[in-house]
Amino acid sequence: MNIRNSNWITAGTAELAPVFIKKFTLSAPVKKASIAASALGLYEICINGVRVGDLRMTPGWTSYKKRVQWQEYDITPLLKAENEITISTAEGWCIGTLAWENHHHLWSDRIAVIASLEATLENGEIVTVNTDNSWSWGRGKIVRSEIYNGEIYDQRAEITAIGAAEIYDHTTDILTPQDGCDIREIEWLPAKELIITPEGDTVIDFGQEITGYVSFSVKGEAGHTCSIQHAEILDANGNFYIENLRAAKAMITYTCNGERWEYHPHFTFMGFRYIRLNNWPEEVSLKEFRAVVLHSDMKRTGHFECSDPELNRLYENIVWGQRGNFLDVPTDCPQRDERLGWTGDAQAFVRCAAYNYDVHDFFRKWLRDLAADQREDGRIPAVIPDVLGEGGAGSAAWGDAAVICPWQVYMAYGDLDMLRENFPAMKKWVDWIRAQGEREEVWNTGGHYGDWLNLDPNYKDEDQYMIATAYFAYSCSIVIKAGKLLGCDMSEYEALHTRIVEAFRALYMQDGRMLSRTQTAHVLAVYFDLCREEEKASLTADLAQLIHETGDHLATGFVGTPYLMHVLSENGQNETAYNLLLRREYPSWLYPVTMGATTIWERWNGIFPDGTINTPSMNSFNHYAYGAVGDWMMGRMAGITPIEPGYTRVALAPMPDPRVEWVKASIDTARGRIISEWKYEGAQVNYTFTIPAGVTAEITISGKTELCGEGRYSFTV
Ligand code: BGC
């Protein structure tokens, strides 16, 4: 079976949710049968009324002009003598509206599907059914379904054929077998509470912000239409709040047929904790509603727990942030008219992500789209798949996702192919930076997002170029490491790297101190090795002093936050790191937790202490970027860090603080589970480590390092 030999078929440009229908007969019982399918748009297949497989949002989101995934399903038990296949569709990412500027038809002006069914019969006959103009198209119960706006569904409708499907002359060369994770319904949460708001709305609280949809059962008179809206929060008065969704309607509109039905949307998802029921035809009973958690089906690998319940909640929020935004593409947020594969956010969070879950396949796919969407000249678009075009392409820290993501995935899983495959894009990105401005070793031109959403009173516009040059050096250093692993001569880049570092020092440092008085400047200089080894302690002391001067809180944005804590802990300021971690007042990681957050907020100040909500124009309550602190919790607090890629060699170097009584964390690697635990007993700390076979651990406690192989080890200090 080769799906590329089949045909794209369409119902034309005007149809928003066509169903494609084919009837066929088989002359003997089926021994084995499968169907491969894909779409421009989204598709779901039914054979003889039974849904095929349990994947959702297929074929997934890729850069559809260059790569469209197809899926294959075993359908042996579904076929009979007389058969009917129906393929329901919707616009999805490919055709529908995306981004706040209401782009639509980004990759195609019409919905199209392609499928190829092959059945081997008991009598040896092989039957192939390909999509072609012998299929019909019609309409069904889904009136329209959109990523941002939700689904309109009419339970009364039956699938009715309207006309013959047309062959759509579109290349099949772009078809590629699914290389990302399956998207599935992963968990079902019961409704927690029924609320009548001060404004009189009927609202259900699921107790947790998720990405997915609500599955519900309802009975109303035929023709009665009711709807559900989705919200992340209630406002200070307890009213339903959807202003921050911007133009996304995130609404399910359901028309009853007189019978009780259980329904869930097919081709959309929402980021929500609360729903509002409009025009509900019956008394609301919580047991009829479940929140369905939808995301890429990744294996959970990391666990973190400690004596502080609020830190545990923070860690849970980080994991929920990942779950909510790892729906095929690493997105910024799941709720407003955005939900895009922002490169900056992905590079900030990738290492944390790889602790929590096995994200190897997830990133492999996304990085293929990144390479596909990289410009001829090497620039990386701001979001992947690219929907913004020139907007934001080539920003420092954002475009560096091309280098940082493959490197971190390589470190987590030790898959050299990850580097081999991505090396051309990594190098091309660095080469593009080299070509910017007049001096090859400095990146001080162009527009950058800078330290996005930072709170630093010392931050100035020109800091963006200090950040750009710092990332240039960092990406260059990774390209050198990757190139050497792949056996390339990297001497040219080594020389370049030396020059970038020297230029950075000359432009942005004086007498071993940073000219920029921002926290982020200090973080980058130390973390990216732009300063001399012997300057690290004093620069970090300066950083601690700046933190103190800023009011004993962090002020970093998307750029500084992922490395802030590492720099403090690794350079003699572990206590300051814990001050930041344990701070409960705004701004801090725990502040949203004290405000009842169940995911990570986009802004440190999404909701102010008095309950006022920050600007609705950009205020998501489920943005994983600041959750990057999870990688410090695993890597420094619990102290588990890969030294050799894939954890064949691991550092176990926990950095405790008496304000946290105990920590227990683990990571499942290809070689088994690595566990790190510590506990204060009075002034003593007891450490326990579990190391699986095939892993060598460098255990460092109080500055002393010991090499250990498989086993369980305890130390008291
Ligand atoms: C997104 C981001 C992103 C940023 C770029 C925002 O609209 O939500 O998280 O990185 O724009 O500056």
Side-chain angles (χ1 to χ4, degrees):
M1 175 171 59
N2 185 348
I3 190 174
R4 287 186 175 189
N5 294 338
S6 188
N7 314 282
W8 291 103
I9 56 171
T10 180
T13 52
E15 285 307 311
L16 301 174
V19 182
F20 297 91
I21 311 152
K22 172 76 180 177
K23 292 193 163 95
F24 63 98
T25 55
L26 295 173
S27 60
V30 174
K31 213 164 128 194
K32 188 167 114 255
S34 62
I35 188 167
S38 187
L40 300 172
L42 298 172
Y43 77 88
E44 272 184 21
I45 309 172
C46 281
I47 293 185
N48 301 321
V50 179
R51 189 186 195 276
V52 172
D54 64 350
L55 306 186
R56 306 279 159 188
M57 306 298 283
T58 47
W61 187 11
T62 49
S63 180
Y64 298 111
K65 282 245 158 66
K66 296 149 196 159
R67 286 171 18 89
V68 183
Q69 300 184 117
W70 55 270
Q71 288 77 25
E72 188 175 352
Y73 311 86
D74 179 3
I75 52 165
T76 313
L78 300 181
L79 293 179
K80 305 174 185 161
E82 303 283 326
N83 297 287
E84 184 182 58
I85 314 180
T86 57
I87 305 182
S88 304
T89 65
E91 293 156 272
W93 296 282
C94 183
I95 321 288
T97 300
L98 276 188
W100 52 93
E101 281 152 359
N102 281 338
H103 296 288
H104 71 295
H105 290 181
L106 271 154
W107 293 276
S108 166
D109 67 354
R110 71 197 63 201
I111 292 171
V113 299
I114 187 166
S116 180
L117 176 154
E118 195 179 281
T120 308
L121 308 186
E122 294 285 8
N123 63 10
E125 197 191 331
I126 296 181
V127 179
T128 304
V129 179
N130 282 340
T131 39
D132 59 22
N133 51 14
S134 71
W135 288 54
S136 345
W137 75 268
R139 298 194 188 112
K141 294 178 193 292
I142 299 169
V143 179
R144 186 170 194 179
S145 194
E146 295 170 276
I147 303 287
Y148 292 164
N149 292 333
E151 187 159 302
I152 304 172
Y153 194 83
D154 189 343
Q155 190 60 263
R156 295 168 306 173
E158 293 304 336
I159 293 177
T160 353
I162 293 173
E166 290 162 36
I167 302 264
Y168 180 42
D169 184 13
H170 191 74
T171 177
T172 58
D173 294 348
I174 50 176
L175 288 166
T176 181
Q178 178 179 308
D179 47 14
C181 302
D182 292 342
I183 306 166
R184 286 211 170 81
E185 296 184 346
I186 305 282
E187 194 180 340
W188 293 262
L189 305 182
K192 270 248 163 91
E193 194 188 347
L194 182 65
I195 300 168
I196 303 298
T197 67
E199 283 173 357
D201 288 331
T202 304
V203 166
I204 292 175
D205 177 8
F206 289 96
Q208 170 63 51
E209 167 146 0
I210 67 147
T211 298
Y213 39 71
V214 173
S215 166
F216 59 89
S217 118
V218 69
K219 181 177 175 182
E221 257 172 55
H224 180 98
T225 296
C226 51
S227 68
I228 295 184
Q229 286 167 285
H230 300 72
E232 300 185 277
I233 55 165
L234 302 181
D235 70 13
N237 302 319
N239 288 315
F240 198 68
Y241 181 84
I242 51 172
E243 270 99 291
N244 67 329
L245 306 189
R246 303 195 303 218
K249 286 201 192 77
M251 170 131 82
I252 302 303
T253 306
Y254 179 90
T255 301
C256 307
N257 72 346
E259 303 292 321
R260 173 160 301 281
W261 284 103
E262 179 147 2
Y263 158 86
H264 63 76
H266 299 74
F267 296 117
T268 188
F269 60 88
M270 277 73 47
F272 67 100
R273 167 175 169 173
Y274 302 92
I275 56 171
R276 169 161 71 190
L277 306 180
N278 303 313
N279 202 25
W280 214 249
E282 59 183 358
E283 201 185 316
V284 176
S285 153
L286 288 184
K287 67 178 196 329
E288 308 295 353
F289 297 83
R290 288 182 307 164
V292 184
V293 180
L294 190 74
H295 55 81
S296 291
D297 197 353
M298 306 162 291
K299 190 175 150 263
R300 180 82 187 263
T301 49
H303 293 274
F304 176 94
E305 219 193 323
C306 71
S307 50
D308 184 328
E310 286 183 322
L311 287 181
N312 291 337
R313 184 67 237 191
L314 170 65
Y315 183 72
E316 282 310 301
N317 292 359
I318 293 168
V319 172
W320 275 111
Q322 180 166 357
R323 300 178 72 180
N325 285 295
F326 275 46
L327 202 166
D328 213 31
V329 160
T331 54
D332 57 336
C333 59
Q335 72 300 85
R336 67 183 179 218
D337 55 349
E338 192 148 356
R339 316 185 198 182
L340 304 176
W342 280 97
T343 48
D345 308 40
Q347 61 82 26
F349 189 69
V350 59
R351 190 164 60 184
C352 179
Y355 275 117
N356 298 335
Y357 283 91
D358 181 345
V359 294
H360 176 274
D361 294 0
F362 180 84
F363 273 100
R364 181 182 55 191
K365 164 184 169 284
W366 185 68
L367 287 167
R368 285 180 180 163
D369 289 301
L370 182 142
D373 279 344
Q374 184 172 30
R375 298 281 197 283
E376 273 302 303
D377 63 6
R379 247 176 333 153
I380 303 291
V383 301
I384 301 289
D386 181 19
V387 306
L388 299 179
E390 287 308 295
S395 168
W398 272 248
D400 292 286
V403 176
I404 294 169
C405 293
W407 180 254
Q408 290 302 345
V409 175
Y410 166 69
M411 282 308 291
Y413 309 106
D415 172 15
L416 198 59
D417 282 339
M418 182 65 63
L419 291 185
R420 198 167 288 123
E421 195 175 313
N422 287 287
F423 189 64
M426 296 163 75
K427 192 160 150 294
K428 208 166 158 187
W429 164 249
V430 167
D431 286 338
W432 176 75
I433 303 173
R434 289 169 78 175
Q436 302 315 298
E438 283 168 7
R439 291 174 59 195
E440 193 191 33
E441 65 277 16
V442 177
W443 192 9
N444 57 1
T445 54
H448 302 274
Y449 292 114
D451 195 15
W452 190 249
L453 298 184
N454 77 80
L455 299 169
D456 206 313
N458 297 326
Y459 187 79
K460 302 199 184 64
D461 222 27
E462 65 253 30
D463 277 305
Q464 61 177 310
Y465 298 119
M466 178 271 302
I467 291 170
T469 303
Y471 268 82
F472 181 21
Y474 185 50
S475 278
C476 186
S477 74
I478 294 175
V479 165
I480 292 167
K481 287 192 276 188
K484 286 183 166 174
L485 285 164
L486 297 171
C488 308
D489 172 12
M490 298 308 290
S491 46
E492 181 188 340
Y493 290 83
E494 287 175 311
L496 171 66
H497 182 257
T498 308
R499 277 185 288 128
I500 307 171
V501 173
E502 285 315 313
F504 182 90
R505 293 179 58 78
L507 284 170
Y508 304 116
M509 293 181 72
Q510 203 172 34
D511 305 326
R513 307 191 71 178
M514 295 308 297
L515 291 174
S516 163
R517 303 306 293 153
T518 60
Q519 296 181 13
T520 290
H522 292 73
V523 169
L524 298 186
V526 175
Y527 198 79
F528 292 168
D529 288 315
L530 305 171
C531 62
R532 308 248 188 270
E533 209 41 49
E534 61 275 14
E535 290 163 349
K536 285 189 173 174
S538 59
L539 280 172
T540 308
D542 283 356
L543 170 62
Q545 176 60 25
L546 282 170
I547 291 170
H548 177 61
E549 283 167 21
T550 324
D552 291 308
H553 64 72
L554 52 70
T556 48
F558 277 34
V559 162
T561 302
Y563 308 126
L564 168 68
M565 301 288 271
H566 291 275
V567 166
L568 290 168
S569 291
E570 285 161 29
N571 298 285
Q573 304 290 340
N574 193 46
E575 201 184 322
T576 307
Y578 272 91
N579 293 346
L580 298 183
L581 180 75
L582 295 170
R583 183 183 161 95
R584 269 131 175 113
E585 304 78 42
Y586 161 80
S588 66
W589 281 286
L590 286 182
Y591 167 67
V593 172
T594 67
M595 298 293 279
T598 62
T599 35
I600 300 292
W601 294 355
E602 175 175 26
R603 294 174 178 273
W604 296 117
N605 47 13
I607 304 175
F608 294 102
D610 67 358
T612 345
I613 302 168
N614 209 326
T615 170
S617 67
M618 215 188 77
N619 195 17
S620 139
F621 294 97
N622 193 1
H623 244 68
Y624 57 59
Y626 288 150
V629 68
D631 110 66
W632 176 87
M633 294 166 84
M634 291 294 283
R636 287 283 160 253
M637 246 179 125
I640 310 174
T641 326
I643 300 175
E644 293 292 341
Y647 291 88
T648 45
R649 198 178 183 93
V650 64
L652 295 174
M655 305 201 67
D657 182 284
R659 286 168 286 178
V660 180
E661 201 188 314
W662 59 267
V663 162
K664 176 172 181 175
S666 64
I667 169 130
D668 291 332
T669 72
R671 282 159 200 84
R673 178 168 294 186
I674 299 170
I675 309 173
S676 168
E677 303 170 58
W678 52 259
K679 188 175 188 342
Y680 275 88
E681 304 276 2
Q684 290 190 328
V685 191
N686 297 331
Y687 297 87
T688 311
F689 303 104
T690 309
I691 305 159
V695 173
T696 307
E698 292 182 16
I699 297 180
T700 306
I701 292 166
S702 309
K704 279 217 329 261
T705 302
E706 215 171 290
L707 272 194
C708 298
E710 183 187 1
R712 197 175 142 90
Y713 302 85
S714 296
F715 304 83
T716 301
V717 179

